[in-house]
Amino acid sequence: MPIIAPNTGIVTQINVFTVPQGSQLPLIELLDEAARACREVPGWISASLHRSLDGTRVVNYAQARDAPAMTRVFERLQAGGFIERNQALGRAAPGLYEVVRTLER
């Protein structure tokens, strides 16, 4: 389950993929497969997949306990060929983040 709280040390990778119209599902299926491959990586927490309502983007929100854990996740993804396969399905704009504030009603 995603953890969205400040001051936890958790690292979140947010990746926005731009895909050709109607091509969201193949990328979502690949990202699901990649997340399942990372479940056993020490420090991996979660992955959440989002699709835009206009059909042109997919967002992957993935979390790891800390930066070394996120490095292990990336290593698993590279070793499994997932990064290469992602690039064939859409243009990625990745970034690593930490939660600094949350607001609720």
Side-chain angles (χ1 to χ4, degrees), residues 35-53:
R36 290 175 191 280
C38 290
R39 280 182 156 165
E40 303 306 317
V41 173
W44 183 87
I45 295 173
S46 69
S48 301
L49 305 176
H50 308 261
R51 65 179 178 189
S52 66
L53 297 179

Side-chain angles (χ1 to χ4, degrees), residues 18-31:
T18 302
V19 298
Q21 184 72 32
S23 296
Q24 288 176 316
L25 187 56
L27 180 56
I28 289 169
E29 289 174 350
L30 178 59
L31 293 171

Side-chain angles (χ1 to χ4, degrees), residues 23-97:
S23 296
Q24 288 176 316
L25 187 56
L27 180 56
I28 289 169
E29 289 174 350
L30 178 59
L31 293 171
D32 181 90
E33 180 185 344
R36 290 175 191 280
C38 290
R39 280 182 156 165
E40 303 306 317
V41 173
W44 183 87
I45 295 173
S46 69
S48 301
L49 305 176
H50 308 261
R51 65 179 178 189
S52 66
L53 297 179
D54 68 2
T56 63
R57 287 177 305 285
V58 172
V59 176
N60 180 23
Y61 183 95
Q63 293 186 305
R65 180 181 62 232
D66 52 27
M70 190 60 80
T71 297
R72 289 190 297 272
V73 168
F74 287 144
E75 289 169 351
R76 173 72 57 93
L77 293 171
Q78 287 179 322
F82 291 104
I83 307 271
E84 236 175 66
R85 291 165 61 195
N86 287 347
Q87 292 172 343
L89 295 172
R91 185 174 36 99
L96 295 177
Y97 301 87

